[in-house]
Amino acid sequence: MSGTSATPAPEPVTALHLGSGEPLLLLHGVLLSPHCWEQTATLLAARCEVFAPALGGHWGGPGFPDGRYSATTLADRVEAQLDDMGWRTCHIVGNSLGGWVGFELARRGRARTLTAIAPAGGWKTPSITQIRAAAKIAPMIPITEILRQLGGYPVENRLVRWVMARLLTKNPHAVSRADISAVVLAALHCPALPALTADTLRGPSLANMSDLTTPVRVILADSDRVLPAYAHGRRFLRELPGSADRIMLNRAGHVPMLEDPERIANLVAEHIYASRDHLRAV
């Protein structure tokens, strides 16, 4: 992340699509974009056909004319994309908001397996945990609006990049400058943020997960500064079927694929192939 020379600013990406094999859908979190999956997607493309779209209202993604952004409407859009690709079902991996969308798609029968990494939506409605989740996101609305007025300054500013990397990871220095620059740009171009924040407060959370038949692996991070595992992981640990994998990542933050893409790729591939071959993942 250090260095004084300017690097070309990343361009928005509507979707990553690479590799061949088992169909695999990667879903990013709020304020992010497909860029956060690039390294992990490249590793997984050796075994899978990987598709990582930009979610609606996010950098590179489609805008919704009515402005109704929620986990449900985002899932509607992704489901339409799967239909266009001819993917009746696929393996799904979602981080944060993407994990919430992944659960919505699994409930619709679209998931062969689901890997949820630091998933959102695991609060009761209403609850203190729900309010805390919205309180974490809400300050980003005025902050991103102010930074957006500064042009390219936030992307080139070392402090801004470090603060963003520290929020999302345990080890900011493990994140490349290109990756964190893409994160900053995505955060500055997310018109869905106000609606998603409001939906967190007033909308329903995830439906009961105890009856899910999809093989699920939930991965929580011990150093998650956005959705701390001790509060936001409880419902997943308690409510998912006994057959679901529950993993706690040590020394990892909210978006672990930024700091350790190989580790995440291995955990995803292990779950896909253990489930495909009817083996219990360890």
Side-chain angles (χ1 to χ4, degrees):
M1 288 174 56
S2 60
T4 57
S5 59
T7 57
E11 295 294 325
V13 173
T14 58
L16 302 173
H17 193 185
L18 59 161
S20 62
E22 296 270 337
L24 173 59
L25 174 69
L26 304 180
L27 301 172
H28 63 77
V30 68
L31 290 174
L32 297 177
S33 74
H35 282 285
C36 69
W37 288 113
E38 280 184 318
Q39 295 184 67
T40 301
T42 300
L43 293 168
L44 289 167
R47 302 182 178 188
C48 301
E49 181 181 355
V50 181
F51 179 59
L55 294 176
H58 291 71
W59 194 41
F64 294 177
D66 59 8
R68 295 178 59 192
Y69 298 102
S70 67
T72 301
T73 61
L74 295 180
D76 292 341
R77 170 62 184 176
V78 174
E79 190 170 23
Q81 291 176 292
L82 297 182
D83 290 340
D84 290 342
M85 296 176 66
W87 286 12
R88 178 65 192 89
T89 62
C90 60
H91 301 282
I92 299 176
V93 183
N95 171 231
S96 192
L97 173 63
W100 189 349
V101 174
F103 274 104
E104 294 285 345
L105 293 169
R107 191 146 312 266
R108 302 178 190 188
R110 306 304 298 254
R112 299 182 188 182
T113 63
L114 172 63
T115 303
I117 304 170
W123 47 76
K124 294 291 186 180
T125 304
S127 69
I128 295 298
T129 306
Q130 176 190 25
I131 294 171
R132 286 175 176 168
K136 284 287 186 73
I137 303 172
M140 295 300 294
I141 299 173
I143 291 172
T144 53
E145 183 59 37
I146 292 170
L147 292 177
R148 188 162 44 246
Q149 307 305 317
L150 301 178
Y153 171 79
V155 179
E156 293 300 324
N157 185 269
R158 181 182 298 180
L159 178 60
V160 172
R161 296 197 309 270
W162 182 86
V163 169
M164 186 65 79
R166 188 177 187 280
L167 176 66
L168 300 180
T169 68
K170 168 66 175 177
N171 181 14
H173 298 290
V175 187
S176 72
R177 178 167 178 173
D179 282 346
I180 202 60
S181 293
V183 167
V184 173
L185 279 168
L188 298 180
H189 297 85
C190 183
L193 182 60
L196 289 171
T197 304
D199 188 67
T200 298
L201 281 172
R202 66 169 181 258
S205 59
L206 280 165
N208 188 288
M209 294 174 278
S210 62
D211 60 348
L212 276 176
T213 57
T214 301
V216 176
R217 166 169 282 189
V218 62
I219 300 174
L220 304 175
D222 69 344
S223 299
D224 192 330
R225 298 183 176 97
V226 179
L227 300 176
Y230 70 86
H232 293 272
R234 289 177 183 172
R235 189 177 165 207
F236 296 100
L237 299 177
R238 180 181 66 250
E239 200 171 286
L240 282 168
S243 59
D245 289 334
R246 297 156 169 86
I247 294 175
M248 178 68 75
L249 283 183
N250 294 322
R251 299 187 59 79
H254 186 62
V255 189
M257 55 276 196
L258 286 175
E259 55 188 326
D260 201 344
E262 184 173 358
R263 187 182 188 188
I264 297 304
N266 287 338
L267 288 169
V268 170
E270 178 188 68
H271 183 48
I272 290 173
Y273 286 93
S275 298
R276 187 194 67 172
D277 297 330
H278 305 288
L279 301 173
R280 179 74 165 87
V282 177

